[in-house]
Short mmCIF file of all heavy atoms in Angstrom, two decimals:
data_model
loop_
_atom_site.label_atom_id
_atom_site.label_comp_id
_atom_site.label_asym_id
_atom_site.label_seq_id
_atom_site.Cartn_x
_atom_site.Cartn_y
_atom_site.Cartn_z
N ASP A 871 89.10 106.63 114.58
CA ASP A 871 88.25 106.89 115.76
C ASP A 871 87.52 105.63 116.22
O ASP A 871 87.19 105.50 117.39
CB ASP A 871 87.26 108.03 115.48
CG ASP A 871 86.36 107.77 114.27
OD1 ASP A 871 86.68 106.88 113.45
OD2 ASP A 871 85.34 108.48 114.13
N ILE A 872 87.29 104.71 115.28
CA ILE A 872 86.60 103.45 115.61
C ILE A 872 87.46 102.30 115.11
O ILE A 872 87.87 102.28 113.94
CB ILE A 872 85.21 103.37 114.94
CG1 ILE A 872 84.31 104.53 115.38
CG2 ILE A 872 84.53 102.02 115.27
CD1 ILE A 872 83.02 104.65 114.57
N THR A 873 87.73 101.33 115.99
CA THR A 873 88.45 100.12 115.58
C THR A 873 87.53 98.93 115.78
O THR A 873 87.04 98.68 116.88
CB THR A 873 89.74 99.92 116.39
OG1 THR A 873 90.59 101.04 116.17
CG2 THR A 873 90.46 98.65 115.97
N VAL A 874 87.29 98.20 114.68
CA VAL A 874 86.46 96.99 114.71
C VAL A 874 87.38 95.79 114.89
O VAL A 874 88.31 95.59 114.11
CB VAL A 874 85.64 96.86 113.41
CG1 VAL A 874 84.84 95.55 113.42
CG2 VAL A 874 84.70 98.06 113.25
N LEU A 875 87.13 95.02 115.94
CA LEU A 875 87.90 93.81 116.19
C LEU A 875 87.02 92.62 115.82
O LEU A 875 86.05 92.31 116.53
CB LEU A 875 88.34 93.75 117.66
CG LEU A 875 89.26 94.90 118.10
CD1 LEU A 875 89.48 94.88 119.59
CD2 LEU A 875 90.60 94.83 117.38
N ASP A 876 87.33 92.00 114.69
CA ASP A 876 86.56 90.88 114.14
C ASP A 876 87.06 89.60 114.80
O ASP A 876 88.13 89.08 114.47
CB ASP A 876 86.78 90.86 112.62
CG ASP A 876 86.07 89.71 111.92
OD1 ASP A 876 85.63 88.77 112.61
OD2 ASP A 876 85.98 89.75 110.68
N ILE A 877 86.30 89.11 115.80
CA ILE A 877 86.71 87.95 116.59
C ILE A 877 85.58 86.92 116.60
O ILE A 877 84.54 87.12 117.22
CB ILE A 877 87.06 88.37 118.05
CG1 ILE A 877 88.14 89.47 118.04
CG2 ILE A 877 87.49 87.16 118.87
CD1 ILE A 877 88.49 90.02 119.41
N PRO A 878 85.76 85.78 115.89
CA PRO A 878 84.69 84.78 115.83
C PRO A 878 84.20 84.33 117.21
O PRO A 878 83.00 84.19 117.43
CB PRO A 878 85.34 83.62 115.07
CG PRO A 878 86.41 84.25 114.24
CD PRO A 878 86.93 85.40 115.07
N LEU A 879 85.13 84.09 118.15
CA LEU A 879 84.75 83.60 119.49
C LEU A 879 84.77 84.75 120.50
O LEU A 879 85.28 84.61 121.62
CB LEU A 879 85.68 82.46 119.92
CG LEU A 879 85.68 81.24 118.99
CD1 LEU A 879 86.70 80.23 119.44
CD2 LEU A 879 84.30 80.60 118.90
N LEU A 880 84.19 85.89 120.12
CA LEU A 880 84.19 87.10 120.95
C LEU A 880 83.62 86.84 122.34
O LEU A 880 84.25 87.15 123.35
CB LEU A 880 83.37 88.19 120.25
CG LEU A 880 83.27 89.53 120.97
CD1 LEU A 880 84.57 90.31 120.84
CD2 LEU A 880 82.12 90.37 120.41
N PHE A 881 82.42 86.26 122.39
CA PHE A 881 81.76 86.02 123.68
C PHE A 881 82.32 84.76 124.35
O PHE A 881 82.55 84.75 125.56
CB PHE A 881 80.25 85.89 123.50
CG PHE A 881 79.60 87.17 123.03
CD1 PHE A 881 78.94 87.22 121.81
CD2 PHE A 881 79.68 88.33 123.79
CE1 PHE A 881 78.35 88.41 121.37
CE2 PHE A 881 79.10 89.52 123.36
CZ PHE A 881 78.43 89.55 122.15
N GLU A 882 82.58 83.72 123.56
CA GLU A 882 83.09 82.47 124.12
C GLU A 882 84.43 82.69 124.82
O GLU A 882 84.71 82.08 125.86
CB GLU A 882 83.27 81.41 123.01
CG GLU A 882 81.97 80.92 122.39
CD GLU A 882 81.54 81.71 121.17
OE1 GLU A 882 81.88 82.93 121.07
OE2 GLU A 882 80.85 81.15 120.32
N GLY A 883 85.26 83.57 124.24
CA GLY A 883 86.59 83.82 124.80
C GLY A 883 86.62 84.94 125.82
O GLY A 883 87.68 85.26 126.37
N GLY A 884 85.47 85.57 126.07
CA GLY A 884 85.41 86.66 127.05
C GLY A 884 86.01 87.97 126.55
O GLY A 884 86.26 88.89 127.33
N PHE A 885 86.23 88.08 125.22
CA PHE A 885 86.84 89.30 124.67
C PHE A 885 85.88 90.49 124.70
O PHE A 885 86.32 91.63 124.57
CB PHE A 885 87.32 89.05 123.23
CG PHE A 885 88.38 88.00 123.12
CD1 PHE A 885 88.10 86.75 122.61
CD2 PHE A 885 89.68 88.25 123.57
CE1 PHE A 885 89.07 85.77 122.53
CE2 PHE A 885 90.66 87.28 123.49
CZ PHE A 885 90.36 86.03 122.97
N ASP A 886 84.58 90.22 124.85
CA ASP A 886 83.62 91.32 124.91
C ASP A 886 83.91 92.26 126.09
O ASP A 886 83.57 93.44 126.05
CB ASP A 886 82.18 90.79 124.97
CG ASP A 886 81.96 89.78 126.10
OD1 ASP A 886 82.81 88.88 126.27
OD2 ASP A 886 80.94 89.87 126.79
N ALA A 887 84.58 91.73 127.12
CA ALA A 887 84.88 92.54 128.31
C ALA A 887 85.83 93.70 127.99
O ALA A 887 85.83 94.71 128.68
CB ALA A 887 85.48 91.66 129.41
N MET A 888 86.66 93.57 126.95
CA MET A 888 87.61 94.63 126.61
C MET A 888 87.05 95.62 125.59
O MET A 888 87.72 96.58 125.22
CB MET A 888 88.93 94.02 126.09
CG MET A 888 88.81 93.29 124.77
SD MET A 888 90.41 92.67 124.15
CE MET A 888 91.06 94.15 123.38
N MET A 889 85.81 95.40 125.14
CA MET A 889 85.21 96.24 124.10
C MET A 889 84.38 97.37 124.71
O MET A 889 83.84 97.26 125.80
CB MET A 889 84.30 95.40 123.19
CG MET A 889 84.97 94.20 122.55
SD MET A 889 86.34 94.65 121.49
CE MET A 889 87.20 93.08 121.40
N ASP A 890 84.25 98.46 123.91
CA ASP A 890 83.33 99.54 124.30
C ASP A 890 81.89 99.18 123.92
O ASP A 890 80.94 99.65 124.54
CB ASP A 890 83.74 100.85 123.60
CG ASP A 890 85.10 101.34 124.10
OD1 ASP A 890 85.26 101.46 125.33
OD2 ASP A 890 86.00 101.58 123.27
N ALA A 891 81.75 98.34 122.89
CA ALA A 891 80.43 97.87 122.44
C ALA A 891 80.66 96.66 121.55
O ALA A 891 81.80 96.40 121.12
CB ALA A 891 79.69 98.96 121.69
N THR A 892 79.58 95.92 121.27
CA THR A 892 79.70 94.71 120.44
C THR A 892 78.60 94.67 119.38
O THR A 892 77.52 95.24 119.56
CB THR A 892 79.61 93.44 121.30
OG1 THR A 892 78.39 93.47 122.06
CG2 THR A 892 80.79 93.32 122.25
N VAL A 893 78.92 93.98 118.28
CA VAL A 893 77.97 93.78 117.18
C VAL A 893 77.91 92.30 116.87
O VAL A 893 78.95 91.65 116.74
CB VAL A 893 78.41 94.54 115.90
CG1 VAL A 893 77.49 94.21 114.74
CG2 VAL A 893 78.45 96.03 116.13
N CYS A 894 76.71 91.77 116.74
CA CYS A 894 76.53 90.39 116.29
C CYS A 894 75.89 90.42 114.90
O CYS A 894 74.87 91.08 114.70
CB CYS A 894 75.64 89.62 117.26
SG CYS A 894 75.23 87.96 116.67
#
């Protein structure tokens, strides 16, 4: 039901746009 995508450059690469939510 929940998939965690562990991405070091999440914000730098703009990957946050494809997420439902983010954790720092």
Side-chain angles (χ1 to χ4, degrees):
D871 57 343
I872 301 170
T873 299
V874 176
L875 298 171
D876 178 346
I877 304 176
L879 301 175
L880 180 75
F881 295 118
E882 293 91 332
F885 297 107
D886 53 315
M888 66 177 278
M889 305 299 161
D890 294 308
T892 55
V893 174
C894 174

